[in-house]
Amino acid sequence: MKKYFKHTFIAIGILVVAFACKDSYLDTPPQAALAGSTLASSKNGVNSTLIASYKSLLGWTGNDAEGPWGTGPSNWEFNIAADETHKGSEPGDGDTWLTFELFQWSPDNQTFRARWVADYEGIVRANSAINTAKAFLAANPTEKAYADATIGEATFLRAFFHFEAYKIWKNVPYYLETDIDFQKANDQPVLPLVIKDLETAIALLPANKTAVGRVDKTIATAYLGKAKLYAGDYTGALAAFNTVISSGKYALADSFYDNFSISGDNNKESIFAAQASVNDGDPNGANGNYGERLAYPHGDSPYGCCGFKQPTYDLAYAFKVDEKGLPIPVVASTTLKRIESGASDLLDPRIDYTMGRTNVPYLNWGVQKDSWIRGQGYMGWYSPKKNASANGDQTLSGGWAGTQLSNLNVELMRYADVLLMAAECEVEVGSLANAQKYVNMIRKRAGSSAQGSSSIKVAINSPEITWAKYNVGTYDVAWTDKTAARNAVRLERKLELALEGHRVFDLQRWGTFIETATAYNARERKVVPVLANANAPTATNLAFPLPTSEVARSGGKIKQNAGY
């Protein structure tokens, strides 16, 4: 079975999370829903509550009052604030996201509210799964192993959703399964609580996942490493990453593209992914990669809509390489322009798996045309390519713009990400040689294939490639300079993980967001004039504002981030 969740999403519709109210007239049990005691009476009921939390990994949970925009697993809307993507589309469409690249966002931006609701829905569901498993165990004491594993998975998911909220807002309330007061302050450091939950999960989880898409000790350990990295504990993070690497359970996929194809879903590189499903009984495709659906080419493209998440000129230039196949740094004096098909530039082949370029094949749909670009150059001429389905893949039958929705997973953590995080730690507290080895593994794989016309994967020197000259090399001179090594690792993260939702958070945690955004804007505004209206980024922009509605609902317990 390709997707574990395909036949279990239907269980989500029976779930409800009920909180105690002091007013007796509110104590009426929810109608047309199963009570918690009923769910806790069987393994199927316990499992259903857990699957409901996994479902939240896709972002939008079908809450039409909130909407899905801003909830995509790839965090693409928030990465508009960084240097890899524009809002895209055309003037007047989605301008709540234009404020992100102009550094003019405000707490009442609906994107923040939608994402808050999505993250905390996942947290509520995780806590519900923990309580249901505990109730089941109390009635079935011989099922301790099963209950513990369920609690471990749910505790991991609780940590995951709080970590996602932390990355965006930095200061958020942390909810446990024992909480009964849901007006909770955001005055506790979040990362220590995430780390504690992950350590608890590791102790309870099985050594190997029980089904595709679920978590085990190794996956939780990878996220423990990531949380410790964000906390600045390089030694602790490296120990966790070394555990994952030495487990031998993961390896780089044969081709970079394998990570963004339906045929490559749940491959040997995929550590954790949001499992997507279409044509599974939901006519609107809510179990598909719904939060990503606006980020496809527009016009007469195969997807028809909607032209958001356009890669930047600056990102395109980052894929330029020298004669040795090594990156050419984009610097203040770099003059950006459109990289045309057939240009003499030497390019890292990952560029044409990451972004669509005019007159270059777009997967197996034929060449991209200028007519696919909404706004006709308003925010450049590139289109997003990762997370796009290929011709022949299963898409939603019927519904609104069904060609946008597929059962293509959204990768949340890949082994390449782990290697690069480990390399980052090695630079800071370990071995520069190890860091170089990990980066070279990534770069060697990058040269294994390129976008072709006869096939999506061909050799990078295939004679059919007339639109680019590809080259990618490894670092063959031993790294001895820590600063140069750090820069090389960070640049490799930009190239390998572009458009996957990491960039803005990487820049923030590195402490380079303000200088990078300032330099980028100075270059990019010459080819995307609307950026001339941008404010200068400041320390206020190192965290997004908490939603106005949530600050108000907290009764004063949630304090707004500084500067808003």
Side-chain angles (χ1 to χ4, degrees):
M1 183 187 304
K2 180 170 177 287
K3 303 286 173 74
Y4 172 77
F5 298 108
K6 183 171 183 180
H7 300 296
T8 55
F9 281 150
I10 193 169
I12 295 165
I14 66 173
L15 296 177
V16 68
V17 178
F19 299 123
C21 300
K22 293 181 180 179
D23 300 292
S24 60
Y25 72 90
L26 293 178
D27 288 338
T28 303
Q31 303 302 300
L34 291 180
S37 58
T38 303
L39 290 167
S41 66
S42 69
K43 286 185 177 181
N44 284 340
V46 173
N47 192 53
S48 292
T49 61
L50 180 62
I51 296 302
S53 188
Y54 275 108
K55 168 64 169 66
S56 293
L57 294 171
L58 288 169
W60 188 53
T61 53
N63 186 341
D64 289 308
E66 299 299 339
W69 318 132
T71 68
S74 73
N75 290 309
W76 68 266
E77 296 91 344
F78 298 96
N79 271 281
I80 293 169
D83 56 352
E84 67 176 21
T85 51
H86 292 298
K87 181 266 292 185
S89 187
E90 58 194 3
D93 186 29
D95 281 354
T96 54
W97 300 325
L98 177 61
T99 65
F100 283 25
E101 54 186 322
L102 300 183
F103 305 107
Q104 295 171 2
W105 58 74
S106 62
D108 59 357
N109 190 309
Q110 179 59 24
T111 300
F112 301 130
R113 166 70 184 166
R115 183 51 184 266
W116 182 283
V117 169
D119 283 341
Y120 278 92
E121 178 69 17
I123 291 165
V124 166
R125 293 181 179 193
N127 281 332
S128 178
I130 292 172
N131 283 327
T132 304
K134 286 182 174 180
F136 173 78
L137 177 60
N140 302 275
T142 60
E143 296 287 358
K144 189 175 188 311
Y146 172 79
D148 281 353
T150 300
I151 293 169
E153 288 185 71
T155 303
F156 167 86
L157 291 167
R158 180 172 71 190
F160 176 89
F161 290 117
H162 278 110
F163 193 14
E164 287 297 293
Y166 164 81
K167 290 192 298 182
I168 295 168
W169 294 291
K170 307 301 185 285
N171 304 296
V172 296
Y174 206 100
Y175 285 99
L176 306 176
E177 80 279 9
T178 53
D179 284 326
I180 57 174
D181 182 357
F182 298 103
Q183 288 183 319
K184 197 170 184 178
N186 61 336
D187 57 356
Q188 299 296 312
V190 177
L191 286 176
L193 297 172
V194 170
I195 290 169
K196 182 179 179 181
D197 262 353
L198 289 170
E199 289 174 338
T200 298
I202 291 168
L204 294 171
L205 284 166
N208 297 298
K209 65 182 72 173
T210 57
V212 171
R214 301 182 78 149
V215 296
D216 59 20
K217 288 183 185 295
T218 309
I219 296 170
T221 301
Y223 272 92
L224 177 65
K226 183 173 183 177
K228 289 187 173 183
L229 176 62
Y230 269 69
D233 178 7
Y234 295 108
T235 300
L238 183 57
F241 295 138
N242 282 340
T243 297
V244 176
I245 293 168
S246 64
S247 74
K249 294 169 71 172
Y250 297 98
L252 295 176
D254 297 337
S255 167
F256 180 68
Y257 173 67
D258 291 341
N259 297 294
F260 314 105
S261 66
I262 289 177
S263 62
D265 276 352
N266 302 311
N267 65 32
K268 61 185 178 181
E269 186 169 341
S270 178
I271 292 179
F272 194 47
Q275 304 287 314
S277 173
V278 292
N279 303 324
D280 53 7
D282 187 317
N284 296 313
N287 299 323
N289 42 14
Y290 209 98
E292 310 294 318
R293 70 179 306 171
L294 300 185
Y296 293 98
H298 191 62
D300 59 345
S301 77
Y303 310 98
C305 191
C306 288
F308 288 90
K309 192 185 176 181
Q310 284 188 248
T312 64
Y313 289 82
D314 209 69
L315 177 62
Y317 263 59
F319 287 100
K320 286 191 173 186
V321 298
D322 60 21
E323 293 293 334
K324 295 182 179 179
L326 295 177
I328 300 174
V330 178
V331 296
S333 60
T334 301
T335 299
L336 303 175
K337 63 179 182 178
R338 187 176 178 180
I339 299 180
E340 303 281 0
S341 167
S344 61
D345 308 90
L346 286 173
L347 300 172
D348 183 319
R350 287 175 291 187
I351 186 175
D352 289 321
Y353 283 138
T354 301
M355 62 178 69
R357 298 190 295 134
T358 297
N359 294 325
V360 175
Y362 191 98
L363 303 180
N364 57 350
W365 291 106
V367 298
Q368 176 169 305
K369 306 173 187 175
D370 276 355
S371 56
W372 292 15
I373 303 298
R374 192 170 183 179
Q376 287 299 283
Y378 167 60
M379 289 195 164
W381 295 96
Y382 303 119
S383 60
K385 212 169 190 178
K386 286 182 178 178
N387 297 329
S389 56
N391 188 8
D393 288 343
Q394 184 182 86
T395 57
L396 179 65
S397 299
W400 171 62
T403 52
Q404 296 174 350
L405 291 177
S406 73
N407 58 339
L408 175 62
N409 289 352
V410 180
E411 294 296 330
L412 301 173
M413 182 182 284
R414 299 193 279 120
Y415 188 60
D417 186 9
V418 167
L419 289 177
L420 290 171
M421 289 189 289
E424 187 175 334
C425 294
E426 292 283 11
V427 169
E428 302 303 332
V429 297
S431 160
L432 295 186
N434 282 343
Q436 183 177 5
K437 178 181 72 173
Y438 293 148
V439 169
N440 279 340
M441 288 170 63
I442 304 293
R443 296 190 62 78
K444 183 177 180 180
R445 193 272 298 277
S448 65
S449 70
Q451 167 75 66
S453 57
S454 62
S455 171
I456 300 175
K457 296 186 294 185
V458 299
I460 67 170
N461 59 354
S462 172
E464 72 182 48
I465 298 175
T466 58
W467 51 86
K469 296 179 179 179
Y470 296 131
N471 191 14
V472 57
T474 55
Y475 293 96
D476 298 329
V477 177
W479 287 0
T480 57
D481 183 275
K482 189 171 183 177
T483 299
R486 182 185 297 118
N487 290 338
V489 171
R490 291 178 176 181
L491 178 54
E492 200 61 33
R493 282 190 67 82
K494 179 177 182 177
L495 299 173
E496 175 71 16
L497 302 173
L499 275 62
E500 294 182 53
H502 303 277
R503 183 64 174 169
V504 67
F505 308 121
D506 280 347
L507 293 173
Q508 288 175 346
R509 68 184 178 83
W510 290 334
T512 60
F513 178 79
I514 294 174
E515 63 182 89
T516 300
T518 300
Y520 153 75
N521 185 279
R523 290 188 295 269
E524 193 83 6
R525 69 173 58 185
K526 295 175 183 177
V527 283
V528 181
V530 70
L531 294 185
N533 300 320
N535 294 341
T538 68
T540 298
N541 303 121
L542 298 180
F544 292 100
L546 285 80
T548 300
S549 59
E550 298 311 308
V551 173
R553 286 174 176 156
S554 73
K557 291 186 177 180
I558 291 180
K559 304 301 182 184
Q560 183 58 270
N561 286 332
Y564 296 105

